[in-house]
Amino acid sequence: MIHTPYLLYLGNETDDLAVKTSRGVAQWRPSLCIGQYRNPSCPISLGLPDIDLHEAVLRGAKTLILGIANAGGVLRQDTVKDVVAALEAGLDVASGLHVRLRDQLVIADAAARYGRRLFDVRDPPAHLPIGNGVKRSGRRLLTVGTDCSVGKMYATLAIEREMHRRGLLADFRATGQTGILINGSGVPVDAVVADFISGSVEWLSPGRLDGGWDLIEGQGSLFHPSYAGVSLGLLHGAQPDAIVLCHEPGREHMRGLPGRTLPDLATCLETNLVAAKLTNPNVRAVGVAVNTSRLEAQDAQRVCAKVSDELSLPCQDPIRTGVNLIVDKLLE
Amino acid sequence: MIHTPYLLYLGNETDDLAVKTSRGVAQWRPSLCIGQYRNPSCPISLGLPDIDLHEAVLRGAKTLILGIANAGGVLRQDTVKDVVAALEAGLDVASGLHVRLRDQLVIADAAARYGRRLFDVRDPPAHLPIGNGVKRSGRRLLTVGTDCSVGKMYATLAIEREMHRRGLLADFRATGQTGILINGSGVPVDAVVADFISGSVEWLSPGRLDGGWDLIEGQGSLFHPSYAGVSLGLLHGAQPDAIVLCHEPGREHMRGLPGRTLPDLATCLETNLVAAKLTNPNVRAVGVAVNTSRLEAQDAQRVCAKVSDELSLPCQDPIRTGVNLIVDKLLE
């Protein structure tokens, strides 16, 4: 468990894509974010107060979130210096980078010296169980996708926000590094050893008896030949009662695979439902979340109406219109 | 690549199940086995000459195969002593145990001191690629199963033997520890990081232009909630032209999961074919391999006839009757 509240790191990044993770945390957990920490020359802002490390500690910050991902995934020397300074100032540091903080001698030494904790959120937890597929108590929703990076995390978080707005018990369960940093805990399911995929999700979302929902972030796609194994194990481990299909219209090919077209939505949804029945025969679809960020408002509306009509399910863009109709369907 | 020929280790084991891996190597690679090495009190034999370490080296043995798996997966002190003696005598040592040889200080030291190699075959290779699903040259067969441990490795090896008997080019591609020790190479697909499942199989079975077949050992089952992710990634990475369904009749439940019944064969086969089409639209089923070791000869024959009739495919027990009809169908 990563301690909150957070100071979000932007460092010297100049590219909006590179601070995607810090931005995700600011967007979905604003109340946990004390401020942002950046070099004076950094042109990017998350709209949070700029504060330095010592001020952050004085205001109660517990962890510096290294929510950056520059091309190559390397940790630059200026960032290493900032991390050491943060540890010295009294902050834990959490990172979603592929390069592990614990493998940087200078950082590991500083953490030991100052008694601070390092979180490499791509490290899976130790001692995960093998999945058993036995039905657990509680209710679960899983987002599934036609492709990678179509907005499964955003859709899941939007559903959590909408349910909280209605006063319902619901908890986001993170399965990727950005989700884990947003949530402070989770399992990087694509980084676990293959034998433990479904078991890691059973561990992430254990039985619950309080009547609340676990809202589990999906990964990949059953139709993506690089990652479908992860998606299937995640689906079986989640044993979802409800599935939300996520999609980005207009993609020419599956992510990273020129020439490979996306599945049609009806086939993709049906394939997920059939596979999900192995561990939850009562699974049902409750909606479609489309990422229309590249479309004009009118086109976005038209796409949603068309999908909704074709699949007889509510279809919404979580960012543009929220997910109230999907949550209505979920609670039906 | 593990160097051959082998000396097979039985040590002090007293249980036939515990020497399953050594026995598999003796059964499927007799020409590579110089002899067996066991304690005088060991009641088990593989039918090979008993020779000591120095005699094995004199006769040309290159590697001691630690093909044992006692309950708990621990490495006993007497075995550690034998491993060190083997390294000193001039042998490499290969192990399929969960406990890694390299993690035993005494063994790692001895290997360094004598300049010998240690093979922990459950360690996946470094630098595996992410799968891309692009069609490769060459032809591939994959065994798939209704459950774990139904005989997929035996069926695959029997098909290789039958094809070699006919003078055909065919190579077993191992995906589990016993298969890797039998073959001297392979990928322990259930031990790779989840993101690399399909990529590891693309790496294991690259394009080939010699007209031969790659015969890929399957793992798990699409219907096993613990491991289906592994099975799906393996299926996509293998992009098989031909599938052989493997089954053991009479199981009361899926392995390790009391109460969970096995899928029916037609559903299981169809589900595999549909999923396989993602990376090879021309996939077809060529047979069913049943493990009838617990049945009387007459019952075994009756089961095979019934399955063959139901699925309109040749159905054979690889050990009892060989797989000639399945290979006939493959070559049709």
Coordinates of all heavy atoms in Angstrom, one line a residue, chain A residues 3-47:
Chain A
H3 N 1.5 5.1 0.6 CA 0.9 6.0 1.5 C 0.5 7.3 0.7 O 1.3 7.8 -0.1 CB 1.8 6.4 2.6 CG 1.9 5.2 3.6 ND1 2.8 5.2 4.7 CD2 1.2 4.1 3.7 CE1 2.7 4.1 5.4 NE2 1.7 3.4 4.8
T4 N -0.6 7.9 1.1 CA -1.1 9.2 0.5 C -1.0 10.2 1.6 O -0.9 9.9 2.8 CB -2.5 9.0 0.1 OG1 -3.3 8.7 1.2 CG2 -2.6 8.0 -1.0
P5 N -1.1 11.5 1.3 CA -1.2 12.1 -0.1 C 0.1 12.1 -0.9 O 1.1 11.9 -0.3 CB -1.8 13.5 0.2 CG -1.3 13.8 1.6 CD -1.2 12.5 2.3
Y6 N -0.1 12.5 -2.1 CA 1.0 12.5 -3.1 C 1.5 13.8 -3.5 O 0.8 14.8 -3.5 CB 0.5 11.8 -4.4 CG 0.0 10.4 -4.3 CD1 -1.1 10.0 -5.1 CD2 0.5 9.5 -3.4 CE1 -1.6 8.7 -5.1 CE2 0.0 8.2 -3.4 CZ -1.0 7.8 -4.2 OH -1.5 6.5 -4.2
L7 N 2.8 13.8 -3.9 CA 3.4 14.9 -4.7 C 3.7 14.3 -6.0 O 4.3 13.3 -6.2 CB 4.7 15.4 -4.0 CG 5.5 16.5 -4.8 CD1 4.7 17.8 -4.8 CD2 6.8 16.8 -4.1
L8 N 3.1 15.0 -7.1 CA 3.3 14.4 -8.4 C 4.5 15.0 -9.2 O 4.6 16.2 -9.2 CB 2.0 14.7 -9.3 CG 0.7 14.1 -8.7 CD1 -0.5 14.5 -9.6 CD2 0.8 12.6 -8.5
Y9 N 5.3 14.1 -9.7 CA 6.5 14.5 -10.3 C 6.4 14.8 -11.8 O 5.8 13.9 -12.5 CB 7.6 13.4 -10.1 CG 9.0 13.8 -10.6 CD1 9.8 14.6 -9.9 CD2 9.5 13.2 -11.8 CE1 11.1 15.0 -10.3 CE2 10.7 13.5 -12.2 CZ 11.5 14.4 -11.5 OH 12.8 14.7 -11.9
L10 N 6.8 15.9 -12.3 CA 6.9 16.2 -13.7 C 8.3 16.3 -14.2 O 8.6 16.1 -15.4 CB 6.1 17.4 -14.1 CG 4.6 17.4 -13.7 CD1 3.9 18.8 -14.0 CD2 3.9 16.3 -14.5
G11 N 9.2 16.8 -13.3 CA 10.6 16.8 -13.6 C 10.9 17.8 -14.7 O 10.5 19.0 -14.7
N12 N 11.6 17.3 -15.7 CA 12.0 18.1 -16.9 C 11.3 17.7 -18.2 O 11.7 17.9 -19.3 CB 13.5 18.0 -17.1 CG 14.2 18.7 -16.0 OD1 14.1 19.8 -15.7 ND2 15.0 17.9 -15.3
E13 N 10.2 16.9 -18.0 CA 9.5 16.4 -19.2 C 8.9 17.6 -20.0 O 8.5 18.6 -19.5 CB 8.4 15.4 -18.8 CG 8.9 14.2 -18.0 CD 10.0 13.4 -18.7 OE1 10.0 13.4 -20.0 OE2 10.8 12.8 -18.1
T14 N 8.9 17.4 -21.3 CA 8.4 18.4 -22.2 C 7.3 17.9 -23.1 O 6.7 18.7 -23.9 CB 9.5 18.9 -23.1 OG1 10.1 17.7 -23.8 CG2 10.7 19.5 -22.4
D15 N 6.9 16.6 -22.9 CA 6.0 16.0 -23.8 C 4.8 15.5 -23.0 O 4.9 14.9 -21.9 CB 6.7 14.8 -24.4 CG 5.8 13.9 -25.2 OD1 4.6 14.2 -25.3 OD2 6.3 12.8 -25.6
D16 N 3.6 15.9 -23.4 CA 2.4 15.6 -22.6 C 2.2 14.1 -22.4 O 1.8 13.6 -21.3 CB 1.2 16.2 -23.3 CG 0.1 16.5 -22.2 OD1 0.4 17.3 -21.3 OD2 -1.0 16.0 -22.3
L17 N 2.6 13.3 -23.4 CA 2.5 11.8 -23.3 C 3.3 11.3 -22.2 O 3.0 10.3 -21.5 CB 2.9 11.2 -24.7 CG 2.2 9.9 -25.0 CD1 0.7 10.0 -25.1 CD2 2.8 9.3 -26.3
A18 N 4.5 11.9 -22.0 CA 5.5 11.4 -21.0 C 5.0 11.6 -19.6 O 5.5 10.9 -18.7 CB 6.8 12.2 -21.2
V19 N 4.0 12.5 -19.3 CA 3.5 12.7 -18.0 C 2.1 12.1 -17.8 O 1.4 12.4 -16.9 CB 3.5 14.1 -17.6 CG1 4.9 14.7 -17.7 CG2 2.5 14.9 -18.4
K20 N 1.7 11.2 -18.7 CA 0.4 10.6 -18.7 C 0.0 10.0 -17.4 O -1.1 10.1 -16.9 CB 0.5 9.4 -19.8 CG -0.8 8.8 -20.2 CD -0.6 7.8 -21.3 CE -0.1 6.5 -20.7 NZ -0.5 5.3 -21.4
T21 N 1.0 9.3 -16.7 CA 0.6 8.7 -15.4 C 0.4 9.7 -14.3 O -0.6 9.7 -13.6 CB 1.8 7.7 -15.0 OG1 1.8 6.7 -16.0 CG2 1.5 7.1 -13.7
S22 N 1.3 10.8 -14.2 CA 1.0 11.8 -13.3 C -0.3 12.5 -13.5 O -1.1 12.8 -12.6 CB 2.2 12.9 -13.3 OG 3.3 12.4 -12.6
R23 N -0.6 12.7 -14.8 CA -1.9 13.4 -15.2 C -3.1 12.5 -14.8 O -4.1 13.0 -14.3 CB -1.9 13.7 -16.7 CG -3.1 14.6 -17.1 CD -3.1 15.0 -18.5 NE -2.0 15.9 -18.9 CZ -1.9 17.1 -18.6 NH1 -2.9 17.7 -17.9 NH2 -0.9 17.9 -18.9
G24 N -2.9 11.2 -15.0 CA -4.0 10.3 -14.6 C -4.3 10.3 -13.1 O -5.5 10.4 -12.7
V25 N -3.2 10.4 -12.3 CA -3.4 10.5 -10.9 C -4.1 11.8 -10.5 O -5.1 11.9 -9.7 CB -2.1 10.4 -10.1 CG1 -2.3 10.5 -8.6 CG2 -1.4 9.0 -10.5
A26 N -3.7 12.9 -11.1 CA -4.3 14.2 -10.9 C -5.7 14.3 -11.2 O -6.6 14.9 -10.6 CB -3.5 15.3 -11.6
Q27 N -6.0 13.6 -12.4 CA -7.4 13.6 -12.9 C -8.4 12.8 -12.0 O -9.5 13.2 -11.8 CB -7.4 13.1 -14.3 CG -8.8 13.0 -14.9 CD -8.8 12.9 -16.4 OE1 -7.7 12.9 -17.1 NE2 -10.0 12.9 -17.0
W28 N -7.9 11.6 -11.6 CA -8.8 10.7 -10.9 C -8.7 10.7 -9.4 O -9.6 10.2 -8.7 CB -8.5 9.3 -11.5 CG -9.0 9.2 -12.9 CD1 -8.2 9.2 -14.0 CD2 -10.3 9.1 -13.4 NE1 -9.0 9.1 -15.1 CE2 -10.3 9.0 -14.8 CE3 -11.6 9.1 -12.7 CZ2 -11.4 9.0 -15.6 CZ3 -12.7 9.0 -13.5 CH2 -12.6 9.0 -14.9
R29 N -7.6 11.3 -8.9 CA -7.5 11.3 -7.4 C -7.0 12.7 -7.0 O -6.1 12.9 -6.2 CB -6.5 10.3 -6.9 CG -6.9 8.8 -7.1 CD -8.1 8.4 -6.2 NE -8.5 7.0 -6.4 CZ -9.4 6.6 -7.2 NH1 -10.1 7.4 -8.0 NH2 -9.7 5.3 -7.2
P30 N -7.8 13.8 -7.4 CA -7.3 15.1 -7.1 C -7.2 15.4 -5.6 O -6.3 16.1 -5.1 CB -8.4 16.0 -7.7 CG -9.6 15.1 -8.0 CD -9.0 13.8 -8.2
S31 N -8.1 14.7 -4.8 CA -8.0 15.0 -3.4 C -6.8 14.4 -2.7 O -6.5 14.7 -1.6 CB -9.3 14.4 -2.7 OG -9.3 13.0 -2.8
L32 N -6.1 13.5 -3.4 CA -4.9 12.9 -2.8 C -3.7 13.6 -3.2 O -2.6 13.3 -2.8 CB -4.8 11.4 -3.3 CG -5.9 10.5 -2.9 CD1 -5.6 9.1 -3.3 CD2 -6.1 10.5 -1.3
C33 N -3.8 14.6 -4.1 CA -2.6 15.3 -4.7 C -2.4 16.7 -4.0 O -3.1 17.6 -4.2 CB -2.8 15.4 -6.2 SG -3.0 13.9 -7.0
I34 N -1.2 16.8 -3.3 CA -0.9 18.0 -2.6 C -0.4 19.0 -3.6 O -0.6 20.2 -3.4 CB 0.2 17.7 -1.6 CG1 -0.2 16.7 -0.5 CG2 0.8 19.0 -1.0 CD1 -0.6 17.3 0.8
G35 N 0.3 18.6 -4.6 CA 0.9 19.5 -5.6 C 1.7 18.8 -6.6 O 1.8 17.6 -6.7
Q36 N 2.3 19.6 -7.5 CA 3.2 19.1 -8.5 C 4.6 19.6 -8.3 O 4.8 20.7 -7.8 CB 2.7 19.4 -9.9 CG 2.7 20.9 -10.2 CD 2.0 21.2 -11.5 OE1 1.3 20.4 -12.1 NE2 2.2 22.4 -12.1
Y37 N 5.6 18.8 -8.7 CA 7.0 19.1 -8.5 C 7.7 19.1 -9.9 O 7.7 18.0 -10.5 CB 7.7 18.2 -7.5 CG 9.2 18.4 -7.3 CD1 9.6 19.6 -6.7 CD2 10.1 17.5 -7.8 CE1 10.9 19.9 -6.6 CE2 11.5 17.8 -7.6 CZ 11.9 19.0 -7.0 OH 13.2 19.3 -6.8
R38 N 8.2 20.3 -10.3 CA 8.8 20.3 -11.7 C 9.9 21.3 -11.7 O 10.0 22.2 -10.9 CB 7.7 20.6 -12.7 CG 7.0 21.9 -12.5 CD 6.0 22.2 -13.6 NE 5.3 23.4 -13.2 CZ 4.6 24.2 -14.1 NH1 4.5 23.8 -15.4 NH2 4.0 25.3 -13.7
N39 N 10.8 21.0 -12.7 CA 11.8 21.9 -13.0 C 11.3 23.3 -13.5 O 10.3 23.2 -14.2 CB 12.7 21.3 -14.1 CG 14.0 22.0 -14.2 OD1 14.1 23.1 -14.7 ND2 15.1 21.3 -13.8
P40 N 11.9 24.4 -13.2 CA 11.3 25.7 -13.6 C 11.1 25.8 -15.1 O 10.2 26.5 -15.6 CB 12.4 26.7 -13.2 CG 13.1 26.1 -12.0 CD 13.0 24.6 -12.3
S41 N 11.9 25.0 -15.9 CA 11.8 25.1 -17.3 C 10.8 24.1 -17.9 O 10.5 24.1 -19.1 CB 13.2 24.8 -18.0 OG 13.5 23.4 -17.7
C42 N 10.2 23.3 -17.1 CA 9.2 22.3 -17.5 C 7.9 23.0 -18.0 O 7.3 23.8 -17.2 CB 8.9 21.3 -16.4 SG 7.5 20.2 -16.8
P43 N 7.5 22.9 -19.3 CA 6.4 23.6 -19.8 C 5.0 23.0 -19.5 O 4.0 23.5 -19.8 CB 6.6 23.5 -21.3 CG 7.4 22.3 -21.5 CD 8.1 22.0 -20.3
I44 N 5.0 21.8 -18.8 CA 3.8 21.1 -18.6 C 3.3 21.3 -17.2 O 4.1 21.4 -16.3 CB 4.0 19.6 -18.8 CG1 4.5 19.3 -20.3 CG2 2.7 18.8 -18.6 CD1 4.9 17.9 -20.6
S45 N 2.0 21.5 -17.1 CA 1.4 21.6 -15.8 C 0.1 20.7 -15.7 O -0.6 20.5 -16.6 CB 1.0 23.1 -15.5 OG 0.2 23.2 -14.3
L46 N -0.1 20.3 -14.4 CA -1.3 19.5 -14.2 C -2.4 20.4 -13.5 O -3.4 19.9 -13.1 CB -1.0 18.3 -13.3 CG 0.1 17.4 -13.7 CD1 0.4 16.3 -12.7 CD2 -0.2 16.7 -15.1
G47 N -2.1 21.7 -13.4 CA -3.0 22.6 -12.8 C -3.0 22.5 -11.3 O -3.9 23.0 -10.6

